């Protein structure tokens, strides 16, 4: 009988805690600032051999207007890529609109559409120079809420970039590379 009372008291306590937690979740303000970071894999694809696989990291700052829409900015470092003959290093800033849709209480899908302002530093043989570019990007991912404030994200983003080394080496014919920078990354997000 004593074991049954203990079990019953435990069930009542868990039910009360669950009801309290549920009402807490319902009262969470979905708007506000967040910070985060992504680390992942970069694939550079183009119409030529200027192609490589490298790491990428990204720092994020955003503001959620509600459960569905946010405005997000970031600094992104695509790292170094290329080969022995021609190499480059690209970094830049982004601004994006982010739309989210909850699948469950903890799992959401999201999509991003934005602008990348980047600078690419080239070394082609012994010549060095840099090139500034503006390009669009689109991305999407899954977000899992570990707690109401701490999330883990998995994301895939494609940047429609133009890599132009013509100003660095004017006597090489094919120095304008239309390419995509493809980023697959895992990240964290903290909401204030």
């Amino acid at each position: 009988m004593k074991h049954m009372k203990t079990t019953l008291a435990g069930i009542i306590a868990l039910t009360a805690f669950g009801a309290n937690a549920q009402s807490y979740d319902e009262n969470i303000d979905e708007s506000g600032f967040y910070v985060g970071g992504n680390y992942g894999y970069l694939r550079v694809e183009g119409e030529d051999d200027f192609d490589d696989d490298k790491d990428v990291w990204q720092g994020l700052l955003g503001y959620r207007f509600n459960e569905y829409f946010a405005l997000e900015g970031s600094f992104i470092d695509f790292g170094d890529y290329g080969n022995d003959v021609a190499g480059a290093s690209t970094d830049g800033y982004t601004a994006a609109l982010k739309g989210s849709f909850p699948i469950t209480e903890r799992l959401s899908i999201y999509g991003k559409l934005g602008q990348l302002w980047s600078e690419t530093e080239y070394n082609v043989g012994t010549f060095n120079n840099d090139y500034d570019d503006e390009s669009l990007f689109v991305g999407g991912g899954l977000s899992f809420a570990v707690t109401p404030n701490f999330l883990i994200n998995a994301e895939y983003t494609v940047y429609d970039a133009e890599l132009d080394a013509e100003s660095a080496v004017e006597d090489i014919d094919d120095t304008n590379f239309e390419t995509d920078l493809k980023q697959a990354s895992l990240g964290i997000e903290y909401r204030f």
Side-chain angles (χ1 to χ4, degrees):
M1 184 73 166
K2 184 176 180 183
H3 180 25
M4 189 171 165
K5 287 182 181 178
T6 305
T7 303
L8 185 58
I11 291 171
I12 291 171
L14 286 175
T15 304
F17 175 77
N20 186 29
Q22 183 178 3
S23 65
Y24 172 74
D25 287 343
E26 290 173 0
N27 294 326
I28 292 175
D29 184 5
E30 292 291 342
S31 65
F33 286 98
Y34 63 91
V35 295
N38 293 326
Y39 179 78
Y41 174 79
L42 177 70
R43 178 79 176 158
V44 180
E45 293 187 27
E47 301 169 351
D48 46 38
D49 294 332
F50 201 79
D51 198 301
D52 208 348
D53 304 322
K54 292 296 177 190
D55 296 335
V56 60
W57 66 268
Q58 182 176 23
L60 304 168
L61 175 64
Y63 183 80
R64 291 171 50 89
F65 297 102
N66 55 41
E67 183 179 10
Y68 302 104
F69 296 104
L71 182 61
E72 184 176 279
S74 76
F75 172 79
I76 186 165
D77 184 350
F78 293 106
D80 300 326
Y81 48 90
N83 54 43
D84 295 337
V85 177
S89 174
T90 302
D91 58 35
Y93 297 92
T94 67
L97 293 174
K98 181 178 179 180
S100 300
F101 185 77
I103 298 172
T104 67
E105 186 175 303
R106 292 183 173 226
L107 185 66
S108 298
I109 59 172
Y110 64 87
K112 294 180 183 180
L113 177 63
Q115 178 82 32
L116 167 69
W117 294 270
S118 63
E119 179 181 43
T120 301
E121 296 178 356
Y122 291 96
N123 60 340
V124 181
T126 58
F127 299 98
N128 297 309
N129 209 334
D130 59 65
Y131 176 73
D132 295 333
D133 187 33
E134 297 179 9
S135 53
L136 296 176
F137 72 90
V138 62
L142 292 171
S143 183
F144 179 77
V146 178
T147 70
N149 297 90
F150 181 74
L151 294 86
I152 297 174
N153 300 321
E155 184 174 311
Y156 187 78
T157 308
V158 178
Y159 303 86
D160 182 25
E162 179 178 334
L163 306 177
D164 187 357
E166 185 174 355
S167 58
V169 184
E170 295 179 3
D171 59 342
I172 295 177
D173 292 335
D174 191 12
T175 58
N176 191 0
F177 308 110
E178 289 290 337
T179 190
D180 289 332
L181 301 176
K182 298 180 179 181
Q183 172 190 347
S185 58
L186 290 175
I188 57 171
E189 181 181 312
Y190 183 79
R191 297 178 179 173
F192 296 98

